Amino acid sequence: AKLGWSKNRPIVFCVRRLARRMGLENLIRAIDLVRKQYPDILLYIAGKGALAQTLQQQITELELSDRVHLLGYIPDEQLPLAYRAANFSVVPTTAFEGFGLIVIESLAAGTPVIGTPIGGIPEILQPFCPDLLFESATTEHIAQGLIDILGDRRKLPSQETCQAYIQENYSWTKIARQIKSVYLKALNSC
């Protein structure tokens, strides 16, 4: 309600810089395919970048203006609220994804995230829940993954399970211990 988002439609949330390698064009085309089975689907994309006009044109041409919304920049302090307002978030990256901080952010907010098997995304999601990975970054695989989730053929972890996974594996205490271990190994090898 605080965000003004629908409360009775399935909501997919995506936070990305609006740039080519982020896979947003594929995600929007996937929503075009998904709406044939799930006409109430909503996709909110947060972020800014050079592709904003191109993406808005794609949304208009595919007649998705009632299903896909470009939100622009959302301040960091409002992101947890946006993540929690969604049924799940999506990371549709097609190339060069480093660690995937937005994957961690979504899970820390308690929102399951489904992502492409690119860069660091599988490193985070595979040990947690393999169902959270798309088969590839293609439009067809993204669409099928979304359809499977919406049709309950892929089970999403609960809010508590997502948050527990992050606490156990990515808390500052855990990360600090791992960094300390790396430094100690380096010092001992001198």
Side-chain angles (χ1 to χ4, degrees), residues 2-181:
K2 287 181 182 179
L3 296 170
W5 293 4
S6 174
K7 292 183 234 173
N8 57 0
R9 292 174 70 180
I11 295 175
V12 180
F13 184 53
C14 181
V15 180
R16 302 268 59 194
R17 190 167 23 91
L18 308 184
R20 290 264 178 234
R21 71 176 184 81
M22 300 301 177
L24 296 169
E25 304 96 320
N26 291 354
L27 178 58
I28 292 168
R29 282 192 299 272
I31 293 297
D32 186 39
L33 299 174
V34 171
R35 74 170 163 174
K36 293 170 183 158
Q37 291 183 46
Y38 297 95
D40 287 345
I41 187 83
L42 274 175
L43 169 63
Y44 291 108
I45 300 172
K48 59 183 183 174
L51 277 185
Q53 187 174 353
T54 302
L55 294 173
Q56 188 58 59
Q57 183 178 349
Q58 181 186 17
I59 292 164
T60 302
E61 287 173 1
L62 291 172
E63 299 178 357
L64 292 172
S65 297
D66 60 336
R67 289 176 183 85
V68 179
H69 304 278
L70 299 179
L71 303 174
Y73 175 76
I74 294 182
D76 289 343
E77 60 274 3
Q78 291 179 359
L79 278 175
L81 178 63
Y83 280 119
R84 286 191 299 268
N87 296 77
F88 57 93
S89 68
V90 175
V91 182
T93 303
T94 58
F96 305 118
E97 186 69 44
F99 175 66
L101 183 59
I102 58 172
V103 174
I104 300 295
E105 288 177 345
S106 184
L107 294 173
T111 303
V113 55
I114 186 165
T116 55
I118 306 294
I121 298 169
E123 179 183 336
I124 299 166
L125 293 179
Q126 185 71 39
F128 175 48
C129 179
D131 273 354
L132 296 178
L133 284 170
F134 292 116
E135 191 172 330
S136 78
T138 66
T139 295
E140 294 74 22
H141 284 143
I142 292 171
Q144 189 59 56
L146 296 175
I147 289 167
D148 288 349
I149 288 171
L150 294 168
D152 288 329
R153 288 181 292 283
R154 288 189 191 202
K155 296 297 179 193
L156 296 178
S158 69
Q159 174 181 343
E160 296 79 17
T161 304
C162 291
Q163 291 172 326
Y165 176 71
I166 294 306
Q167 189 62 36
E168 291 166 14
N169 295 282
Y170 296 99
S171 68
W172 282 115
T173 303
K174 176 82 171 183
I175 299 301
R177 276 192 221 122
Q178 290 173 343
I179 292 171
K180 180 180 176 182
S181 171

